[in-house]
Amino acid sequence: EIGITKPKGHKVSFHYNSRVEDMHFGKTHPMKPWRLTLTKHLVLGYGLHYAMDTHEAVSAGKDQVRAFHDPDYVDFLAQVSPQTFASLCEVPRFAQHIPPKHENDTVDLGPFNLSTSPGADCPVFDGMSTYLFLYTGATLGATQQLTSNQTDIAINWSGGLHHAHRAEASGFCYINDIVLSILDLLRVYPRVLYIDIDVHHGDGVEEAFQRQPRVMTLSYHRYGPYDETQHKFFPGTGDLADVGLKGTVGEHFALNVPIASGINDGQYKYLFENVTGRAIEAFKPSAIVLQCGADSLGGDRLGQFNISTTQHGECVSFVKRSGLPLLILGGGGYTARNVARAWCHETALATDNTLPDSIPLDLVPRPEAFQGRAHGDGKLHPPFNKNTPVHNNQNKDVDLEYMVKK
Ligand code: VJV
Ligand code: CA
Ligand code: ZN
């Protein structure tokens, strides 16, 4: 008996629709909606659904998505599939969004940075429209529960797609559900703080609100040259000096914490708690949106940080202690079993539960995903071992102190 209990003094709502699980970005594309299936397996296996209101998400409407996105882009997303892509590219109002081709482009880009080439960041795949409007609907449903005071913490692990722009897909993100959510929150709350612990910079959200003093955006991310070839880590923005659009009322309402590879738990905790704590104190938000991208975990296929599921969860607990209405979203995360571990653990933290470290493997449909030395020995918080690729820690404590003081 695991003994899951309801949280005391607050309510948590969980928003999900299993239809997102059938989606495939492509055979070797790093984004795997399957990680959401594994997360669901752990959440249900531990019995956390007894501690929350669970809501089956419904698709967002085109009109809702138009609150931020370009109407032509929304029409395109609603109609696009591998079958319709070529003919849609011929439609003049879509064709005008095809970027000019550079000589060394490896993939053919169509309108809005979408592509049917196998190596593309934002491929066109079967069922894509359904998937996009569904993860967006889940975020908007979660937001609605908050704005109508029916919950205190709302969770959507299928959302958090922070790179999407007004008329452009980017970095595996097509619809910016975060921006849409914040626009809804602003109808009810005077000020919204957005916090982003995905290893990538939350550029789409920052850009959308760069002129807006009622939204503060705060992203922690890997920043700088990627390797000896001097490629920048995606998306290449989010310098310490970027603080919102200069000369507008939004100036000073964006914060960026650029981090080198290999950061450890102690350093991350130091940065996160000092900077977030001071942002909350100074900005006095009335609600918080927390993007919990799990690609900041050690051992992630794309990320380059060394933080544990425990420290990742500490960030959620820290934000929760503010006691403010809170929307918790997913985001990146490319080592599926660890994504599921982190997000299940964080679902438990949101509901004031402490889970036993041994996963109830008899109650999980795919126990082999979490078993064996390479898969974490059936533990919720497996320690790093020789199967975890470690990134050399390039962060000097003095650099971190400098950022905190600034
Ligand atoms: O670094 C990039 C851009 C390129 C051009 C496009 N090629 C495919 C990759 C290099 C410069 N893109 C990043 C995007 C990361 C998006 C992160 C999203 C989030 O976690 O922040 C939120 C959900 C990138 N890194 C790695 C890849 N793309 C990548 C893309 C692939 C791939 C392998 C790696 C796409 C298809 C396939 N393999 C088959
Ligand atoms: Ca981030
Ligand atoms: Zn990411």
Side-chain angles (χ1 to χ4, degrees):
E1 229 349 278
I2 294 171
I4 296 298
T5 54
K6 287 214 170 2
K8 290 180 191 64
H10 72 280
K11 266 187 157 190
V12 179
S13 68
F14 189 86
H15 299 258
Y16 190 63
N17 189 313
S18 301
R19 270 151 69 212
V20 297
E21 296 169 11
D22 308 331
M23 306 304 167
H24 296 279
F25 280 62
K27 233 182 148 74
T28 61
H29 194 288
M31 180 56 103
K32 310 264 180 226
W34 158 246
R35 70 212 176 111
L36 300 167
T37 315
L38 285 184
T39 305
K40 178 184 78 179
H41 288 171
L42 286 186
V43 166
L44 297 178
Y46 273 111
L48 284 167
H49 50 299
Y50 296 119
M52 312 181 279
D53 292 340
T54 54
H55 296 258
E56 181 166 291
V58 296
S59 294
K62 287 209 278 179
D63 50 332
Q64 290 177 295
V65 178
R66 277 189 219 112
F68 171 58
H69 289 286
D70 175 276
D72 288 337
Y73 181 48
V74 178
D75 284 341
F76 194 89
L77 292 180
Q79 296 171 54
V80 70
S81 75
Q83 292 73 41
T84 61
F85 185 72
S87 62
L88 286 177
C89 291
E90 304 296 316
V91 176
R93 71 184 171 111
F94 299 142
Q96 66 177 345
H97 293 278
I98 299 176
K101 196 173 162 64
H102 295 287
E103 288 157 41
N104 50 1
D105 271 1
T106 49
V107 293
D108 277 318
L109 290 180
F112 312 106
N113 198 29
L114 302 179
S115 174
T116 48
S117 302
D121 272 357
C122 298
V124 172
F125 55 89
D126 272 316
M128 159 168 164
S129 268
T130 307
Y131 164 77
L132 305 179
F133 286 85
L134 210 49
Y135 78 65
T136 304
T139 295
L140 295 181
T143 307
Q144 161 69 29
Q145 286 293 303
L146 287 167
T147 55
S148 61
N149 270 314
Q150 302 194 67
T151 195
D152 302 288
I153 302 179
I155 303 176
N156 170 27
W157 294 126
S158 68
L161 297 155
H162 58 180
H163 297 306
H165 301 281
R166 194 180 103 84
E168 194 188 288
S170 171
F172 321 161
C173 304
Y174 303 76
I175 296 176
N176 201 316
D177 59 307
I178 308 169
V179 171
L180 294 172
S181 166
I182 294 174
L183 289 172
D184 279 354
L185 293 171
L186 287 175
R187 292 174 210 274
V188 173
Y189 302 109
R191 285 175 307 283
V192 177
L193 174 63
Y194 171 66
I195 307 170
D196 184 317
I197 61 169
D198 188 290
V199 75
H200 298 96
H201 176 224
D203 59 345
V205 186
E206 178 184 292
E207 181 189 76
F209 296 112
Q210 59 181 340
R211 303 162 186 275
Q212 175 55 273
R214 291 177 58 202
V215 179
M216 175 174 275
T217 59
L218 165 56
S219 175
Y220 298 83
H221 44 268
R222 170 80 176 85
Y223 181 77
Y226 190 19
D227 52 28
E228 44 298 326
T229 61
Q230 294 297 309
H231 285 304
K232 279 193 169 176
F233 193 76
F234 186 86
T237 49
D239 194 278
L240 188 61
D242 299 338
V243 293
L245 199 60
K246 292 219 165 51
T248 73
V249 287
E251 188 175 354
H252 306 302
F253 291 93
L255 289 175
N256 285 296
V257 183
I259 300 169
S261 63
I263 190 168
N264 63 32
D265 279 359
Q267 292 174 321
Y268 200 89
K269 184 181 176 68
Y270 170 76
L271 278 181
F272 186 83
E273 298 194 354
N274 278 288
V275 177
T276 306
R278 282 211 244 159
I280 293 174
E281 254 172 62
F283 182 61
K284 299 188 174 46
S286 9
I288 299 182
V289 177
L290 177 59
Q291 196 267 21
C292 296
D295 47 7
S296 42
L297 295 172
D300 188 81
R301 178 176 158 195
L302 294 191
Q304 300 181 0
F305 289 172
N306 289 330
I307 71 171
S308 66
T309 45
T310 305
Q311 178 49 44
H312 202 269
E314 280 282 318
C315 299
V316 176
S317 296
F318 183 86
V319 172
K320 175 173 171 275
R321 284 199 289 276
S322 73
L324 293 163
L326 176 61
L327 175 63
I328 295 181
L329 300 172
Y334 305 100
T335 301
R337 60 182 179 279
N338 294 338
V339 178
R341 286 180 159 102
W343 290 350
C344 173
H345 170 55
E346 288 160 14
T347 306
L349 293 173
T351 60
D352 293 340
N353 281 286
T354 308
L355 301 176
D357 196 33
S358 287
I359 294 171
L361 294 167
D362 50 328
L363 301 177
V364 170
R366 300 292 290 271
E368 64 278 11
F370 304 104
Q371 281 172 306
R373 203 172 139 67
H375 293 173
D377 283 328
K379 299 291 181 216
L380 187 61
H381 303 285
F384 295 147
N385 63 28
K386 69 171 178 16
N387 298 308
T388 317
V390 281
H391 297 280
N392 279 332
N393 192 349
Q394 310 282 352
N395 294 278
K396 297 195 205 72
D397 288 345
V398 288
D399 297 339
L400 306 183
E401 278 167 37
Y402 174 77
M403 289 199 281
V404 165
K405 296 214 172 89
K406 227 169 152 211

